[in-house]
Amino acid sequence: MAAYSSRVRADIDRWAAAGLIDASTADALRRDVETSARRSLSFGSVLAMMAALLLGAAILIFIAANWEAIPRLARVGAVFLVILAGYVGGAVAKTKGHPAVGEALWIVAAAAFGGGIALVGQMYHLAGSESSAVLTWCAGTALAAAALRSGPLTVAAAGIADGWLAMNLTGGFRLFGRTEFPGMFVAIVAALFVLSYWTRSTAARHLILLSLIAYVALFALDHDVLPVAVGLAGVSAVLFAVAVLAPEPVEAVVRLGGRLPLHALIGFLAGMTMIQFAVADESGIGGFAVASAVALAGIVAAVVLAGRQSRGLRWIAYIGFAFELVIVYLVTMQTMLGTAGFFLAAAVIVGLLAFAIVRIERRWAAPAMQGA
Amino acid sequence: MTGRKLVASAFVLALLQIGFLGWIIAGRAAVLRSGAEVLLKVEPVDPRDLLRGDYVFLSYDISRIPAKLIANIPAGRTSSEEGPIVVRLRKDADGYWRPASAWLGAAPAPAGEGEVDIAGRIAAGWDLTGDATLSASYGIERFYLPEGEGLAIERDMRVRPFGVRVAVARDGTAQIKALMDGDMMLFEEPVY
Protein backbone atom coordinates (compact mmCIF):
# COMPACT_ATOMS: atom_id res chain seq x y z
CA MET A 1 0.00 0.00 0.00
CA ALA A 2 2.80 2.38 0.90
CA ALA A 3 4.55 1.51 -2.35
CA TYR A 4 1.39 2.34 -4.31
CA SER A 5 0.90 5.69 -2.60
CA SER A 6 4.51 6.74 -3.21
CA ARG A 7 4.20 5.69 -6.86
CA VAL A 8 0.97 7.69 -7.27
CA ARG A 9 2.63 10.69 -5.65
CA ALA A 10 5.47 10.49 -8.17
CA ASP A 11 2.88 10.24 -10.96
CA ILE A 12 1.02 13.30 -9.67
CA ASP A 13 4.28 15.28 -9.65
CA ARG A 14 4.95 14.19 -13.24
CA TRP A 15 1.40 15.05 -14.41
CA ALA A 16 1.61 18.45 -12.75
CA ALA A 17 5.01 19.12 -14.32
CA ALA A 18 3.71 18.08 -17.75
CA GLY A 19 0.75 20.44 -17.39
CA LEU A 20 -1.84 17.63 -17.52
CA ILE A 21 -3.37 18.79 -14.21
CA ASP A 22 -3.23 22.18 -12.49
CA ALA A 23 -1.65 22.80 -9.10
CA SER A 24 -4.91 22.75 -7.10
CA THR A 25 -5.96 19.40 -8.60
CA ALA A 26 -2.52 18.01 -7.82
CA ASP A 27 -2.86 19.16 -4.21
CA ALA A 28 -6.33 17.62 -3.91
CA LEU A 29 -5.07 14.33 -5.33
CA ARG A 30 -2.09 14.28 -2.95
CA ARG A 31 -4.38 14.91 0.02
CA ASP A 32 -6.68 12.11 -1.09
CA VAL A 33 -3.78 9.68 -1.46
CA GLU A 34 -2.53 10.66 1.96
CA THR A 35 -5.85 10.13 3.75
CA SER A 36 -6.48 6.77 2.07
CA ALA A 37 -2.93 5.67 2.91
CA ARG A 38 -3.55 6.62 6.54
CA ARG A 39 -6.78 4.65 6.52
CA SER A 40 -4.92 1.57 5.31
CA LEU A 41 -2.77 1.84 8.44
CA SER A 42 -5.83 1.25 10.62
CA PHE A 43 -5.32 -2.50 10.22
CA GLY A 44 -2.18 -2.11 12.32
CA SER A 45 -3.98 -0.02 14.93
CA VAL A 46 -6.76 -2.61 15.16
CA LEU A 47 -4.14 -5.27 15.86
CA ALA A 48 -2.46 -3.00 18.41
CA MET A 49 -5.80 -2.49 20.18
CA MET A 50 -6.49 -6.24 20.18
CA ALA A 51 -3.05 -6.90 21.63
CA ALA A 52 -3.77 -4.30 24.32
CA LEU A 53 -7.09 -5.92 25.19
CA LEU A 54 -5.43 -9.35 25.40
CA LEU A 55 -2.69 -7.98 27.63
CA GLY A 56 -5.27 -6.28 29.84
CA ALA A 57 -7.26 -9.52 30.13
CA ALA A 58 -4.04 -11.39 30.97
CA ILE A 59 -3.33 -8.93 33.81
CA LEU A 60 -6.86 -9.26 35.21
CA ILE A 61 -6.92 -13.07 35.07
CA PHE A 62 -3.41 -13.32 36.49
CA ILE A 63 -4.55 -11.29 39.50
CA ALA A 64 -7.67 -13.46 39.87
CA ALA A 65 -5.50 -16.59 39.99
CA ASN A 66 -3.95 -15.25 43.24
CA TRP A 67 -0.64 -16.96 42.56
CA GLU A 68 1.32 -17.24 45.78
CA ALA A 69 4.72 -17.70 44.16
CA ILE A 70 4.94 -13.94 43.77
CA PRO A 71 4.54 -12.02 47.05
CA ARG A 72 1.55 -9.77 46.89
CA LEU A 73 3.50 -6.65 47.61
CA ALA A 74 5.44 -7.44 44.43
CA ARG A 75 2.13 -7.90 42.59
CA VAL A 76 0.94 -4.51 43.85
CA GLY A 77 4.23 -2.94 42.73
CA ALA A 78 3.95 -4.55 39.30
CA VAL A 79 0.41 -3.23 38.85
CA PHE A 80 1.50 0.29 39.89
CA LEU A 81 4.39 0.06 37.44
CA VAL A 82 2.13 -0.99 34.56
CA ILE A 83 -0.23 1.92 35.33
CA LEU A 84 2.63 4.43 35.35
CA ALA A 85 4.47 2.99 32.34
CA GLY A 86 1.25 2.55 30.36
CA TYR A 87 -0.05 6.09 30.75
CA VAL A 88 3.30 7.90 30.48
CA GLY A 89 4.70 5.56 27.81
CA GLY A 90 1.50 5.91 25.80
CA ALA A 91 1.72 9.70 26.00
CA VAL A 92 5.33 9.60 24.84
CA ALA A 93 4.46 7.24 21.97
CA LYS A 94 1.62 9.54 20.92
CA THR A 95 3.79 12.64 20.87
CA LYS A 96 6.44 10.74 18.89
CA GLY A 97 3.88 10.10 16.14
CA HIS A 98 2.64 6.59 17.02
CA PRO A 99 -0.98 7.27 18.04
CA ALA A 100 -2.09 3.64 17.71
CA VAL A 101 0.68 2.43 20.04
CA GLY A 102 -0.11 5.25 22.48
CA GLU A 103 -3.83 4.48 22.66
CA ALA A 104 -3.09 0.75 23.06
CA LEU A 105 -0.72 1.43 25.97
CA TRP A 106 -3.37 3.60 27.64
CA ILE A 107 -5.87 0.76 27.37
CA VAL A 108 -3.35 -1.54 29.08
CA ALA A 109 -2.87 1.03 31.86
CA ALA A 110 -6.64 1.38 32.36
CA ALA A 111 -6.95 -2.42 32.55
CA ALA A 112 -4.15 -2.46 35.12
CA PHE A 113 -6.07 0.10 37.21
CA GLY A 114 -9.05 -2.28 37.18
CA GLY A 115 -6.68 -5.10 38.08
CA GLY A 116 -5.35 -3.01 40.96
CA ILE A 117 -8.88 -2.55 42.34
CA ALA A 118 -9.45 -6.32 42.09
CA LEU A 119 -6.08 -7.02 43.73
CA VAL A 120 -6.80 -4.75 46.70
CA GLY A 121 -10.20 -6.42 47.12
CA GLN A 122 -8.51 -9.80 47.08
CA MET A 123 -5.71 -8.81 49.47
CA TYR A 124 -8.11 -7.58 52.13
CA HIS A 125 -11.02 -9.97 51.37
CA LEU A 126 -13.39 -7.10 50.68
CA ALA A 127 -16.87 -8.54 50.31
CA GLY A 128 -20.03 -7.25 48.75
CA SER A 129 -18.59 -4.29 46.89
CA GLU A 130 -18.01 -5.64 43.40
CA SER A 131 -20.58 -3.26 42.01
CA SER A 132 -18.83 -0.22 43.42
CA ALA A 133 -15.47 -1.72 42.40
CA VAL A 134 -16.56 -1.88 38.76
CA LEU A 135 -18.01 1.64 39.00
CA THR A 136 -14.70 2.88 40.42
CA TRP A 137 -12.92 1.26 37.49
CA CYS A 138 -15.34 2.94 35.08
CA ALA A 139 -14.78 6.33 36.75
CA GLY A 140 -10.99 5.90 36.66
CA THR A 141 -11.10 5.01 32.95
CA ALA A 142 -13.35 7.99 32.21
CA LEU A 143 -10.96 10.24 34.12
CA ALA A 144 -8.09 8.88 32.04
CA ALA A 145 -10.08 9.48 28.84
CA ALA A 146 -10.70 13.09 29.91
CA ALA A 147 -7.11 13.76 30.97
CA LEU A 148 -5.58 12.23 27.83
CA ARG A 149 -8.42 13.20 25.48
CA SER A 150 -8.58 9.61 24.27
CA GLY A 151 -11.40 8.17 22.19
CA PRO A 152 -10.57 4.49 22.80
CA LEU A 153 -10.52 5.09 26.58
CA THR A 154 -13.97 6.70 26.29
CA VAL A 155 -15.25 3.61 24.48
CA ALA A 156 -13.61 1.46 27.16
CA ALA A 157 -15.36 3.41 29.94
CA ALA A 158 -18.71 2.96 28.16
CA GLY A 159 -17.93 -0.75 27.75
CA ILE A 160 -17.18 -1.09 31.48
CA ALA A 161 -20.48 0.67 32.25
CA ASP A 162 -22.24 -1.83 29.97
CA GLY A 163 -20.52 -4.67 31.81
CA TRP A 164 -21.66 -3.19 35.13
CA LEU A 165 -25.24 -3.08 33.87
CA ALA A 166 -25.09 -6.67 32.61
CA MET A 167 -23.57 -7.96 35.88
CA ASN A 168 -26.18 -6.07 37.88
CA LEU A 169 -29.07 -7.50 35.89
CA THR A 170 -27.79 -11.07 35.80
CA GLY A 171 -27.20 -11.00 39.55
CA GLY A 172 -23.45 -11.35 39.10
CA PHE A 173 -22.81 -9.11 42.10
CA ARG A 174 -24.91 -11.15 44.53
CA LEU A 175 -25.67 -8.17 46.72
CA PHE A 176 -27.97 -9.03 49.55
CA GLY A 177 -31.59 -8.32 48.85
CA ARG A 178 -30.81 -6.09 45.89
CA THR A 179 -33.77 -5.95 43.58
CA GLU A 180 -33.98 -2.37 42.39
CA PHE A 181 -33.20 -1.62 38.77
CA PRO A 182 -29.76 -0.01 38.24
CA GLY A 183 -31.11 3.38 37.19
CA MET A 184 -27.74 4.98 37.80
CA PHE A 185 -26.71 3.61 34.39
CA VAL A 186 -28.52 6.48 32.66
CA ALA A 187 -26.57 9.08 34.63
CA ILE A 188 -23.28 7.27 33.94
CA VAL A 189 -23.73 7.03 30.17
CA ALA A 190 -25.07 10.61 30.05
CA ALA A 191 -21.81 11.77 31.64
CA LEU A 192 -19.81 9.61 29.22
CA PHE A 193 -21.81 11.02 26.29
CA VAL A 194 -20.77 14.54 27.32
CA LEU A 195 -17.20 13.33 27.75
CA SER A 196 -17.20 11.88 24.22
CA TYR A 197 -17.46 15.41 22.76
CA TRP A 198 -14.28 16.41 24.55
CA THR A 199 -12.49 13.22 23.44
CA ARG A 200 -13.97 13.47 19.91
CA SER A 201 -15.14 9.86 20.03
CA THR A 202 -17.99 9.19 17.61
CA ALA A 203 -17.62 5.46 18.32
CA ALA A 204 -18.33 6.05 22.04
CA ARG A 205 -21.52 7.98 21.18
CA HIS A 206 -22.68 5.12 18.94
CA LEU A 207 -22.00 2.56 21.67
CA ILE A 208 -23.77 4.68 24.28
CA LEU A 209 -26.89 5.14 22.15
CA LEU A 210 -27.09 1.40 21.43
CA SER A 211 -26.54 0.69 25.16
CA LEU A 212 -29.32 3.09 26.07
CA ILE A 213 -31.74 1.35 23.70
CA ALA A 214 -30.80 -1.99 25.28
CA TYR A 215 -31.20 -0.44 28.75
CA VAL A 216 -34.68 0.89 28.00
CA ALA A 217 -35.69 -2.49 26.53
CA LEU A 218 -34.45 -4.29 29.67
CA PHE A 219 -36.14 -1.67 31.85
CA ALA A 220 -39.41 -2.34 30.02
CA LEU A 221 -39.08 -6.09 30.57
CA ASP A 222 -38.34 -5.50 34.25
CA HIS A 223 -41.20 -3.04 34.78
CA ASP A 224 -44.35 -2.46 32.79
CA VAL A 225 -43.66 -3.40 29.17
CA LEU A 226 -46.34 -1.53 27.28
CA PRO A 227 -45.93 2.11 28.43
CA VAL A 228 -42.12 2.00 28.34
CA ALA A 229 -42.09 0.33 24.90
CA VAL A 230 -44.58 2.87 23.55
CA GLY A 231 -42.34 5.61 24.94
CA LEU A 232 -39.23 4.08 23.31
CA ALA A 233 -40.92 3.71 19.92
CA GLY A 234 -42.46 7.19 20.13
CA VAL A 235 -39.28 8.99 21.18
CA SER A 236 -37.34 7.08 18.49
CA ALA A 237 -39.87 8.06 15.82
CA VAL A 238 -39.67 11.72 16.85
CA LEU A 239 -35.85 11.59 16.86
CA PHE A 240 -35.92 10.00 13.42
CA ALA A 241 -38.22 12.69 12.06
CA VAL A 242 -36.11 15.50 13.55
CA ALA A 243 -32.88 13.94 12.25
CA VAL A 244 -34.29 13.55 8.74
CA LEU A 245 -36.09 16.91 8.53
CA ALA A 246 -33.23 18.98 9.96
CA PRO A 247 -30.07 16.98 9.29
CA GLU A 248 -27.54 19.82 9.60
CA PRO A 249 -28.57 21.26 13.01
CA VAL A 250 -29.06 17.77 14.45
CA GLU A 251 -25.66 16.64 13.21
CA ALA A 252 -24.10 19.79 14.66
CA VAL A 253 -25.39 18.72 18.09
CA VAL A 254 -25.03 14.92 18.14
CA ARG A 255 -22.05 14.62 15.73
CA LEU A 256 -22.70 11.00 14.82
CA GLY A 257 -21.57 11.19 11.21
CA GLY A 258 -25.21 11.51 10.10
CA ARG A 259 -26.15 8.15 11.61
CA LEU A 260 -28.70 9.26 14.23
CA PRO A 261 -31.56 7.91 12.03
CA LEU A 262 -30.01 4.42 12.29
CA HIS A 263 -30.17 4.51 16.08
CA ALA A 264 -33.68 5.94 15.96
CA LEU A 265 -34.80 3.14 13.66
CA ILE A 266 -33.22 0.49 15.91
CA GLY A 267 -34.93 2.05 18.94
CA PHE A 268 -38.24 2.20 17.09
CA LEU A 269 -37.99 -1.46 16.04
CA ALA A 270 -37.03 -2.56 19.57
CA GLY A 271 -39.99 -0.65 21.02
CA MET A 272 -42.45 -1.93 18.40
CA THR A 273 -41.29 -5.54 18.87
CA MET A 274 -41.99 -5.33 22.60
CA ILE A 275 -45.34 -3.66 21.97
CA GLN A 276 -46.26 -6.47 19.56
CA PHE A 277 -45.47 -9.19 22.07
CA ALA A 278 -47.20 -7.29 24.87
CA VAL A 279 -50.46 -6.75 22.99
CA ALA A 280 -50.36 -10.26 21.54
CA ASP A 281 -50.47 -11.56 25.12
CA GLU A 282 -53.14 -9.16 26.29
CA SER A 283 -55.67 -8.07 23.75
CA GLY A 284 -55.97 -10.79 21.17
CA ILE A 285 -55.15 -10.45 17.51
CA GLY A 286 -56.75 -7.06 16.81
CA GLY A 287 -54.24 -5.01 18.79
CA PHE A 288 -51.40 -7.10 17.42
CA ALA A 289 -52.46 -6.44 13.83
CA VAL A 290 -52.49 -2.68 14.49
CA ALA A 291 -49.05 -2.80 16.14
CA SER A 292 -47.63 -4.89 13.29
CA ALA A 293 -49.07 -2.54 10.70
CA VAL A 294 -47.51 0.45 12.54
CA ALA A 295 -44.15 -1.33 12.69
CA LEU A 296 -44.16 -2.21 8.98
CA ALA A 297 -45.36 1.29 8.06
CA GLY A 298 -42.55 2.72 10.16
CA ILE A 299 -39.96 0.62 8.35
CA VAL A 300 -41.32 1.64 4.95
CA ALA A 301 -41.44 5.29 6.02
CA ALA A 302 -37.82 5.08 7.22
CA VAL A 303 -36.70 3.70 3.84
CA VAL A 304 -38.68 6.32 1.91
CA LEU A 305 -37.46 9.24 4.06
CA ALA A 306 -33.82 8.35 4.62
CA GLY A 307 -33.05 5.11 2.79
CA ARG A 308 -31.64 6.79 -0.26
CA GLN A 309 -28.86 8.56 1.63
CA SER A 310 -27.84 5.71 3.91
CA ARG A 311 -26.96 2.18 2.96
CA GLY A 312 -26.67 1.21 6.63
CA LEU A 313 -30.21 2.39 7.30
CA ARG A 314 -31.53 0.36 4.36
CA TRP A 315 -29.90 -2.75 5.76
CA ILE A 316 -31.34 -2.21 9.23
CA ALA A 317 -34.73 -1.67 7.58
CA TYR A 318 -34.42 -4.91 5.56
CA ILE A 319 -33.38 -6.90 8.65
CA GLY A 320 -36.16 -5.29 10.67
CA PHE A 321 -38.65 -6.08 7.94
CA ALA A 322 -37.62 -9.75 7.80
CA PHE A 323 -37.74 -9.87 11.59
CA GLU A 324 -41.25 -8.40 11.59
CA LEU A 325 -42.43 -11.08 9.18
CA VAL A 326 -41.01 -13.76 11.49
CA ILE A 327 -42.75 -12.21 14.52
CA VAL A 328 -46.05 -12.03 12.71
CA TYR A 329 -45.69 -15.64 11.67
CA LEU A 330 -44.77 -16.77 15.21
CA VAL A 331 -47.63 -14.92 16.88
CA THR A 332 -50.31 -15.88 14.37
CA MET A 333 -49.02 -19.40 13.93
CA GLN A 334 -52.16 -20.90 15.40
CA THR A 335 -54.15 -19.78 12.37
CA MET A 336 -52.07 -20.28 9.25
CA LEU A 337 -54.91 -19.08 7.10
CA GLY A 338 -54.89 -15.81 9.03
CA THR A 339 -51.14 -15.48 8.56
CA ALA A 340 -51.46 -16.17 4.86
CA GLY A 341 -54.16 -13.51 4.66
CA PHE A 342 -52.01 -10.96 6.52
CA PHE A 343 -49.01 -11.67 4.30
CA LEU A 344 -51.20 -11.40 1.20
CA ALA A 345 -52.46 -8.02 2.33
CA ALA A 346 -48.93 -6.94 3.26
CA ALA A 347 -47.64 -8.11 -0.14
CA VAL A 348 -50.27 -6.06 -1.94
CA ILE A 349 -49.59 -2.97 0.17
CA VAL A 350 -45.80 -3.23 -0.09
CA GLY A 351 -46.07 -3.93 -3.83
CA LEU A 352 -48.19 -0.82 -4.29
CA LEU A 353 -45.72 1.16 -2.19
CA ALA A 354 -42.82 -0.16 -4.27
CA PHE A 355 -44.63 0.90 -7.42
CA ALA A 356 -45.21 4.34 -5.93
CA ILE A 357 -41.62 4.67 -4.70
CA VAL A 358 -40.19 3.70 -8.07
CA ARG A 359 -42.33 6.33 -9.77
CA ILE A 360 -41.49 9.00 -7.16
CA GLU A 361 -37.77 8.34 -7.33
CA ARG A 362 -37.88 8.43 -11.14
CA ARG A 363 -39.70 11.75 -11.04
CA TRP A 364 -37.09 13.11 -8.56
CA ALA A 365 -34.26 11.87 -10.71
CA ALA A 366 -35.61 13.23 -14.04
CA PRO A 367 -35.30 16.98 -13.35
CA ALA A 368 -31.91 16.43 -11.79
CA MET A 369 -30.75 14.73 -15.00
CA GLN A 370 -32.16 17.51 -17.13
CA GLY A 371 -30.46 20.09 -14.95
CA ALA A 372 -27.08 18.39 -15.23
CA MET B 1 -2.55 19.26 23.33
CA THR B 2 1.19 19.72 23.05
CA GLY B 3 3.51 16.78 23.60
CA ARG B 4 4.96 17.83 26.93
CA LYS B 5 1.55 18.71 28.32
CA LEU B 6 0.17 15.31 27.31
CA VAL B 7 3.04 13.46 29.00
CA ALA B 8 2.60 15.62 32.11
CA SER B 9 -1.13 14.92 32.35
CA ALA B 10 -0.46 11.19 31.80
CA PHE B 11 2.01 11.31 34.68
CA VAL B 12 -0.42 13.12 36.99
CA LEU B 13 -3.18 10.70 35.99
CA ALA B 14 -0.99 7.66 36.77
CA LEU B 15 -0.07 9.15 40.17
CA LEU B 16 -3.76 9.81 40.93
CA GLN B 17 -4.81 6.24 40.16
CA ILE B 18 -1.83 4.74 42.00
CA GLY B 19 -2.49 7.09 44.91
CA PHE B 20 -6.12 6.04 45.04
CA LEU B 21 -5.18 2.34 45.21
CA GLY B 22 -2.47 3.07 47.75
CA TRP B 23 -4.94 5.03 49.90
CA ILE B 24 -7.28 2.01 50.11
CA ILE B 25 -4.36 -0.29 50.93
CA ALA B 26 -3.13 2.11 53.64
CA GLY B 27 -6.61 2.31 55.19
CA ARG B 28 -6.99 -1.45 55.33
CA ALA B 29 -3.45 -1.94 56.63
CA ALA B 30 -4.18 0.56 59.41
CA VAL B 31 -7.20 -1.53 60.49
CA LEU B 32 -5.04 -4.66 60.49
CA ARG B 33 -2.27 -2.97 62.49
CA SER B 34 -4.26 -1.18 65.14
CA GLY B 35 -7.77 -2.64 65.18
CA ALA B 36 -9.09 -4.61 68.15
CA GLU B 37 -8.87 -8.34 67.50
CA VAL B 38 -11.88 -10.64 67.81
CA LEU B 39 -12.35 -14.32 66.94
CA LEU B 40 -15.56 -15.13 65.12
CA LYS B 41 -17.07 -18.53 64.57
CA VAL B 42 -17.68 -19.50 60.97
CA GLU B 43 -20.83 -21.42 60.15
CA PRO B 44 -21.20 -23.81 57.29
CA VAL B 45 -23.44 -22.38 54.58
CA ASP B 46 -25.35 -23.97 51.76
CA PRO B 47 -22.62 -25.89 49.94
CA ARG B 48 -23.82 -24.77 46.52
CA ASP B 49 -23.16 -21.18 47.55
CA LEU B 50 -19.99 -21.87 49.41
CA LEU B 51 -17.40 -21.65 46.71
CA ARG B 52 -17.58 -19.29 43.85
CA GLY B 53 -14.48 -19.00 41.74
CA ASP B 54 -11.49 -18.19 43.85
CA TYR B 55 -12.99 -17.38 47.20
CA VAL B 56 -14.96 -19.16 49.90
CA PHE B 57 -18.17 -17.64 51.12
CA LEU B 58 -18.14 -17.21 54.88
CA SER B 59 -21.12 -17.01 57.15
CA TYR B 60 -20.59 -16.15 60.83
CA ASP B 61 -22.70 -16.83 63.87
CA ILE B 62 -22.88 -13.03 64.17
CA SER B 63 -24.33 -12.93 60.64
CA ARG B 64 -27.70 -13.64 62.24
CA ILE B 65 -28.77 -11.20 64.94
CA PRO B 66 -31.84 -11.93 67.09
CA ALA B 67 -34.23 -8.99 66.82
CA LYS B 68 -34.52 -9.00 70.65
CA LEU B 69 -30.84 -7.89 70.90
CA ILE B 70 -31.55 -4.63 69.08
CA ALA B 71 -32.08 -2.05 71.78
CA ASN B 72 -33.44 0.85 69.76
CA ILE B 73 -36.18 -0.48 67.53
CA PRO B 74 -38.58 2.46 67.03
CA ALA B 75 -42.03 1.87 68.49
CA GLY B 76 -44.41 0.36 65.99
CA ARG B 77 -41.71 -0.67 63.50
CA THR B 78 -42.22 -4.33 62.52
CA SER B 79 -39.77 -4.73 59.66
CA SER B 80 -36.28 -3.41 59.02
CA GLU B 81 -35.15 -0.70 56.62
CA GLU B 82 -31.91 -0.97 54.65
CA GLY B 83 -29.19 0.66 56.71
CA PRO B 84 -26.32 0.41 59.19
CA ILE B 85 -26.33 -1.67 62.35
CA VAL B 86 -23.80 -1.72 65.16
CA VAL B 87 -23.27 -5.00 67.01
CA ARG B 88 -21.45 -5.00 70.35
CA LEU B 89 -19.37 -8.18 70.74
CA ARG B 90 -18.21 -9.78 73.95
CA LYS B 91 -15.80 -12.69 74.36
CA ASP B 92 -17.36 -15.99 75.42
CA ALA B 93 -15.72 -18.73 77.50
CA ASP B 94 -14.82 -20.75 74.38
CA GLY B 95 -12.80 -17.86 72.95
CA TYR B 96 -15.27 -16.84 70.28
CA TRP B 97 -16.82 -13.38 70.35
CA ARG B 98 -20.60 -13.19 70.27
CA PRO B 99 -23.16 -10.37 70.09
CA ALA B 100 -24.20 -8.88 73.41
CA SER B 101 -26.40 -6.10 72.11
CA ALA B 102 -27.04 -4.20 68.90
CA TRP B 103 -28.34 -0.87 67.65
CA LEU B 104 -29.78 0.33 64.39
CA GLY B 105 -27.69 3.27 63.18
CA ALA B 106 -25.03 4.06 65.77
CA ALA B 107 -24.27 2.90 69.30
CA PRO B 108 -25.37 5.33 72.06
CA ALA B 109 -22.11 4.97 74.00
CA PRO B 110 -18.61 3.71 73.15
CA ALA B 111 -17.81 0.05 73.84
CA GLY B 112 -16.57 -0.70 77.31
CA GLU B 113 -13.66 -2.85 78.53
CA GLY B 114 -13.70 -6.30 76.90
CA GLU B 115 -16.20 -5.22 74.28
CA VAL B 116 -15.84 -4.42 70.57
CA ASP B 117 -18.36 -2.67 68.32
CA ILE B 118 -18.50 -4.01 64.75
CA ALA B 119 -20.29 -2.09 61.99
CA GLY B 120 -22.55 -3.94 59.59
CA ARG B 121 -25.48 -3.43 57.28
CA ILE B 122 -28.90 -4.98 57.19
CA ALA B 123 -31.26 -5.24 54.26
CA ALA B 124 -34.81 -4.00 54.19
CA GLY B 125 -37.73 -6.27 55.06
CA TRP B 126 -36.45 -8.33 58.01
CA ASP B 127 -38.99 -9.07 60.70
CA LEU B 128 -38.21 -7.15 63.90
CA THR B 129 -40.84 -8.67 66.16
CA GLY B 130 -40.71 -11.51 68.69
CA ASP B 131 -38.09 -14.23 68.26
CA ALA B 132 -37.20 -13.28 64.68
CA THR B 133 -33.57 -13.11 63.58
CA LEU B 134 -32.23 -10.83 60.91
CA SER B 135 -29.23 -11.16 58.67
CA ALA B 136 -26.40 -8.66 58.87
CA SER B 137 -23.27 -8.38 56.73
CA TYR B 138 -19.95 -6.84 57.75
CA GLY B 139 -17.91 -6.81 54.53
CA ILE B 140 -15.95 -9.86 55.70
CA GLU B 141 -18.03 -12.56 54.07
CA ARG B 142 -15.42 -13.63 51.54
CA PHE B 143 -12.03 -15.23 51.83
CA TYR B 144 -9.92 -15.21 48.69
CA LEU B 145 -7.70 -18.23 48.23
CA PRO B 146 -4.96 -19.26 45.83
CA GLU B 147 -6.45 -20.94 42.80
CA GLY B 148 -7.39 -24.58 43.49
CA GLU B 149 -7.30 -24.48 47.32
CA GLY B 150 -10.91 -23.55 47.87
CA LEU B 151 -12.52 -26.98 47.55
CA ALA B 152 -10.49 -28.66 50.30
CA ILE B 153 -11.24 -25.89 52.77
CA GLU B 154 -14.90 -25.91 51.79
CA ARG B 155 -15.00 -29.67 52.57
CA ASP B 156 -13.24 -29.33 55.93
CA MET B 157 -15.42 -26.41 56.94
CA ARG B 158 -18.46 -28.62 56.93
CA VAL B 159 -16.99 -31.23 59.33
CA ARG B 160 -14.92 -29.07 61.75
CA PRO B 161 -15.43 -25.71 63.43
CA PHE B 162 -13.58 -22.94 61.64
CA GLY B 163 -12.90 -19.45 62.91
CA VAL B 164 -11.81 -16.15 61.51
CA ARG B 165 -9.69 -13.65 63.39
CA VAL B 166 -10.90 -10.18 62.54
CA ALA B 167 -9.41 -6.78 63.24
CA VAL B 168 -12.01 -4.13 64.02
CA ALA B 169 -11.17 -0.46 63.74
CA ARG B 170 -12.54 2.08 66.20
CA ASP B 171 -15.25 3.11 63.69
CA GLY B 172 -16.36 -0.52 63.45
CA THR B 173 -14.77 -1.34 60.07
CA ALA B 174 -13.90 -5.04 60.09
CA GLN B 175 -10.93 -6.56 58.32
CA ILE B 176 -10.14 -10.31 58.09
CA LYS B 177 -6.81 -11.12 59.69
CA ALA B 178 -6.55 -14.90 59.63
CA LEU B 179 -8.51 -18.03 58.78
CA MET B 180 -8.38 -20.66 61.57
CA ASP B 181 -9.08 -24.39 61.38
CA GLY B 182 -9.90 -24.94 65.06
CA ASP B 183 -6.69 -23.78 66.75
CA MET B 184 -4.55 -24.19 63.65
CA MET B 185 -3.93 -21.12 61.55
CA LEU B 186 -4.46 -21.76 57.84
CA PHE B 187 -3.82 -18.32 56.38
CA GLU B 188 -2.61 -15.21 58.08
CA GLU B 189 -2.75 -11.95 56.25
CA PRO B 190 0.34 -9.75 56.24
CA VAL B 191 -0.36 -6.08 56.79
CA TYR B 192 0.49 -5.42 53.12
Side-chain angles (χ1 to χ4, degrees), chain B residues 102-171:
Chain B
W103 296 272
L104 302 174
E113 193 68 29
E115 292 174 331
V116 169
D117 282 354
I118 186 168
R121 294 194 75 78
I122 52 170
W126 291 100
D127 188 9
L128 292 176
T129 57
D131 290 327
T133 59
L134 44 99
S135 174
S137 65
Y138 306 91
I140 51 172
E141 284 77 19
R142 276 179 206 185
F143 198 90
Y144 287 89
L145 292 157
E147 190 180 7
E149 292 187 26
L151 281 170
I153 288 181
E154 177 204 338
R155 202 173 45 236
D156 291 349
M157 210 178 264
R158 259 178 279 150
V159 292
R160 289 199 296 275
F162 270 59
V164 168
R165 270 201 284 131
V166 174
V168 184
R170 195 157 300 185
D171 66 357

Side-chain angles (χ1 to χ4, degrees), chain A residues 254-303:
Chain A
V254 295
R255 280 186 251 157
L256 284 166
R259 294 210 175 84
L260 183 63
L262 274 72
H263 292 290
L265 181 58
I266 294 172
F268 175 77
L269 290 174
M272 287 313 298
T273 307
M274 285 190 293
I275 292 171
Q276 283 170 294
F277 279 117
V279 295
D281 286 347
E282 282 168 14
S283 60
I285 218 69
F288 179 77
V290 172
S292 304
V294 171
L296 289 173
I299 293 171
V300 172
V303 172

Side-chain angles (χ1 to χ4, degrees), chain A residues 71-301:
Chain A
R72 47 192 222 180
L73 207 53
R75 278 181 267 167
V76 172
V79 165
F80 285 4
L81 202 66
V82 173
I83 293 174
L84 186 68
Y87 285 133
V88 175
V92 170
K94 195 144 192 184
T95 51
K96 292 258 164 76
H98 304 288
V101 177
E103 296 283 357
L105 284 174
W106 288 344
I107 290 285
V108 173
F113 178 63
I117 296 170
L119 181 58
V120 172
Q122 184 190 68
M123 279 166 67
Y124 296 106
H125 308 285
L126 305 183
S129 54
E130 264 169 332
S131 172
S132 55
V134 175
L135 282 184
T136 310
W137 187 21
C138 179
T141 307
L143 178 75
L148 305 169
R149 214 169 176 181
S150 157
L153 281 175
T154 317
V155 175
I160 295 170
D162 283 348
W164 176 79
L165 178 69
M167 287 165 86
N168 247 316
L169 292 179
T170 55
F173 288 132
R174 264 180 30 141
L175 293 184
F176 53 92
R178 189 186 171 96
T179 48
E180 78 262 37
F181 201 77
M184 215 204 317
F185 181 76
V186 177
I188 296 169
V189 292
L192 292 177
F193 200 87
V194 172
L195 175 65
S196 76
Y197 289 113
W198 163 249
T199 61
R200 288 169 300 213
S201 175
T202 311
R205 285 194 286 280
H206 282 301
L207 177 61
I208 288 169
L209 283 182
L210 290 175
S211 310
L212 266 179
I213 293 169
Y215 171 85
V216 173
L218 292 165
F219 182 82
L221 295 179
D222 194 64
H223 289 68
D224 201 357
V225 173
L226 204 50
V228 180
V230 168
L232 176 61
V235 169
S236 301
V238 170
L239 270 183
F240 187 92
V242 172
V244 169
L245 292 177
E248 281 93 16
V250 168
E251 179 59 24
V253 174
V254 295
R255 280 186 251 157
L256 284 166
R259 294 210 175 84
L260 183 63
L262 274 72
H263 292 290
L265 181 58
I266 294 172
F268 175 77
L269 290 174
M272 287 313 298
T273 307
M274 285 190 293
I275 292 171
Q276 283 170 294
F277 279 117
V279 295
D281 286 347
E282 282 168 14
S283 60
I285 218 69
F288 179 77
V290 172
S292 304
V294 171
L296 289 173
I299 293 171
V300 172

Side-chain angles (χ1 to χ4, degrees), chain B residues 4 8 13 19 49 52 66 91 96 102 108 111 121 126 144 157 181:
Chain B
R4 195 170 296 166
L13 172 72
D49 279 358
R52 190 168 162 255
K91 194 173 180 176
Y96 291 108
R121 294 194 75 78
W126 291 100
Y144 287 89
M157 210 178 264
D181 179 359

